[in-house]
Amino acid sequence: MEEKLQTSNASQEIEKIFPDAEDFLPINGTDYIELYVGNSKQAAHFYKTALGFQSLAYAGLETGMKDRESYVLIQDKIRLVLTSPLNADTEIGKHIDKHGDGVKVVALWVDDATSAFKETTSRGAEPFMEPTTEKDEHGEIVKSGIYTYGETVHMFIERKNYNGIFLPGFKKWETVYNPESVGLKYVDHMVGNVGWGEMNKWVEFYAKVMGFTQLISFDDKDISTDYTALMSKVMSNGNGRIKFPINEPAEGKKKSQIEEYLDFYQGAGVQHIAVATDNIIETVTAMRDRGIEFLRVPSNYYDTVLDRVGEIDEDLEPLKELGILIDRDDEGYLLQIFTKPIEPRPTLFFEIIQRKGAKSFGKGNFKALFEAIEREQELRGTL
Ligand code: FE2
């Protein structure tokens, strides 16, 4: 009951920063997410095998690309681009050396990439790429880009005059090895970790520069264990298709997981990509069977969870067996689970989420979850 009250308080915290602002940056959805990785060929194999992505497009030496190789993977509405450099001393190589494998680009699908660039840079965004038109026999795209936190970039992709496989410069990537999808549907939200005292700066960036509004905020009283703490605010675009929670570390007795991330990523960056499924039990079973490791909460979590969240459609047993977490807000409930980091550094990980009405982010699970992360930090000697 106490937890339920906390959840409804969170909903009451919903506030809009600029309620009357026009949507000067209409966004249709996430276009793609590009990761800079040490070995794009092997990473593509991992994302296909373990996460059920399908081969879509390729660019590299065979397509006339001299400095990099990129594999594009797709699963329903999610497109991932995995890019590695082909030479020494490249920007991409330096990025990987500094940050490890991680998200470089969160690309947003827009109808007008030129206007997106003008609207955001005129409001203070640091330019990454001026509006640029690229053409091939399938038409033309316009792209532009701005920096966000750390060295992370938002590209704006205008593809209304393009019907090729991905972008000009890419060819269809045909493979014999095509493992089945695991049922991942779309990007639900993507979380950024920023430095000490920088959350509000980046919240203001998304509000002022990109016209986003704030959905929810959590402070260190919501998100803390005996040892560590963090603060978070969730920013969303006008139509709600893009949701970016922003975390910063808060003082605790020991080192926050956000601080651990910042140490290993050498600065701000994307902490996790949350992807939606219509059947989390099937999705997580498939991912587990294909080798993905998930964070586990103690099994006594399941002794009381239904007292907290009430009735759910699913049987509790498979959820317990897989370690799937449950939370409820005023509008419904959600099921979620988090992978362990998917690269050597304890940085980027994935969340799998199934929403059954709930629009929140699993606040009721934070404590159990962070205690699970702390046990991992303890093993790494980074708590
Ligand atoms: Fe999340």
Side-chain angles (χ1 to χ4, degrees):
M1 189 61 205
E2 193 189 46
E3 290 284 355
K4 251 187 166 164
L5 275 174
Q6 279 186 6
T7 306
S8 59
N9 284 341
S11 303
Q12 285 158 16
E13 281 169 33
I14 290 175
E15 50 178 307
K16 301 248 174 183
I17 291 182
F18 298 125
D20 300 325
E22 47 140 4
D23 194 355
F24 58 82
L25 181 60
I27 300 171
N28 301 322
T30 308
D31 197 283
Y32 65 86
I33 298 163
E34 181 170 23
L35 293 94
Y36 284 173
V37 297
N39 187 330
S40 55
K41 186 172 285 194
Q42 291 187 3
H45 188 75
F46 168 82
Y47 280 97
K48 286 170 65 171
T49 302
L51 282 101
F53 281 86
Q54 314 294 309
S55 308
L56 181 70
Y58 167 84
L61 291 173
E62 293 83 347
T63 66
M65 190 86 95
K66 299 280 189 250
D67 67 336
R68 67 184 71 184
E69 178 181 71
S70 293
Y71 292 88
V72 188
L73 304 171
I74 188 163
Q75 189 163 183
D76 206 315
K77 292 190 170 63
I78 312 161
R79 276 192 295 236
L80 292 185
V81 182
L82 303 165
T83 298
S84 291
L86 292 171
N87 315 101
D89 300 326
T90 61
E91 286 304 310
I92 300 168
K94 285 175 196 154
H95 195 280
I96 296 166
D97 183 46
K98 182 172 180 188
H99 302 294
D101 287 7
V103 173
K104 175 63 180 179
V105 179
V106 177
L108 304 168
W109 172 29
V110 298
D111 289 332
D112 188 339
T114 307
S115 147
F117 184 83
K118 280 186 191 150
E119 295 287 353
T120 52
T121 52
S122 70
R123 288 171 170 83
E126 188 189 336
F128 173 74
M129 182 191 281
E130 299 270 331
T132 306
T133 303
E134 292 181 356
K135 295 177 188 180
D136 67 9
E137 67 270 32
H138 303 291
E140 66 173 48
I141 62 115
V142 185
K143 58 184 185 183
S144 62
I146 58 170
Y147 279 100
T148 175
Y149 47 76
E151 292 192 281
T152 316
V153 163
H154 287 311
M155 291 291 294
F156 301 115
I157 307 292
E158 172 188 329
R159 46 171 76 255
K160 59 179 184 284
N161 298 316
Y162 192 69
N163 62 13
I165 193 75
F166 178 56
L167 294 173
F170 286 79
K171 67 167 192 186
K172 189 167 169 43
W173 182 31
E174 309 244 30
T175 51
V176 175
Y177 177 61
N178 303 304
E180 255 183 69
S181 153
V182 298
L184 303 178
K185 298 277 179 194
Y186 58 89
V187 176
D188 185 276
H189 60 277
M190 291 187 71
V191 179
N193 283 344
V194 301
W196 289 96
E198 289 197 334
M199 177 179 67
N200 285 331
K201 172 185 155 185
W202 291 105
V203 162
E204 203 178 292
F205 168 88
Y206 281 105
K208 277 193 181 156
V209 171
M210 297 188 63
F212 284 30
T213 53
Q214 185 180 327
L215 291 181
I216 305 173
S217 83
F218 305 103
D219 64 19
D220 47 351
K221 284 167 205 67
D222 299 316
I223 317 183
S224 70
T225 65
D226 289 343
Y227 294 122
T228 67
L230 66 89
M231 295 190 285
S232 188
K233 288 183 176 174
V234 182
M235 302 304 290
S236 170
N237 80 318
N239 60 19
R241 290 183 199 170
I242 307 294
K243 290 187 281 293
F244 292 147
I246 308 287
N247 297 334
E248 76 169 54
E251 286 296 346
K253 283 187 199 144
K254 292 196 177 180
K255 187 186 271 190
S256 155
Q257 49 163 310
I258 309 306
E259 212 180 334
E260 184 197 37
Y261 176 102
L262 296 169
D263 286 351
F264 280 93
Y265 200 74
Q266 294 277 297
V270 173
Q271 179 211 37
H272 74 265
I273 304 170
V275 286
T277 170
D278 290 341
N279 189 330
I280 197 165
I281 293 174
E282 278 180 20
T283 296
V284 172
T285 301
M287 289 174 70
R288 182 195 62 179
D289 292 352
R290 297 179 190 198
I292 291 290
E293 292 186 312
F294 293 95
L295 276 179
R296 301 293 302 217
V297 297
S299 63
N300 66 12
Y301 169 93
Y302 295 92
D303 296 347
T304 54
V305 67
L306 294 183
D307 301 337
R308 173 163 65 83
V309 303
E311 231 174 82
I312 56 169
D313 302 336
E314 294 74 13
D315 288 334
L316 193 60
E317 207 41 48
L319 299 177
K320 180 178 176 180
E321 210 245 315
L322 293 163
I324 294 165
L325 307 175
I326 315 155
D327 196 25
R328 183 178 288 277
D329 63 21
D330 296 343
E331 293 167 279
Y333 70 97
L334 62 82
L335 303 159
Q336 65 185 166
I337 192 169
F338 299 82
T339 72
K340 292 185 180 180
I342 49 156
E343 58 288 298
R345 302 186 198 191
T347 51
L348 177 68
F349 58 89
F350 277 83
E351 172 183 352
I352 313 302
I353 185 166
Q354 182 177 5
R355 294 187 179 277
K356 305 203 81 167
K359 295 204 178 78
S360 51
F361 296 85
K363 177 177 168 177
N365 292 321
F366 287 168
K367 193 168 162 53
L369 197 61
F370 294 153
E371 286 170 350
I373 293 172
E374 283 165 15
R375 284 192 295 279
E376 300 281 317
Q377 280 184 275
E378 187 88 69
L379 291 173
R380 293 193 280 262
T382 59
L383 188 61

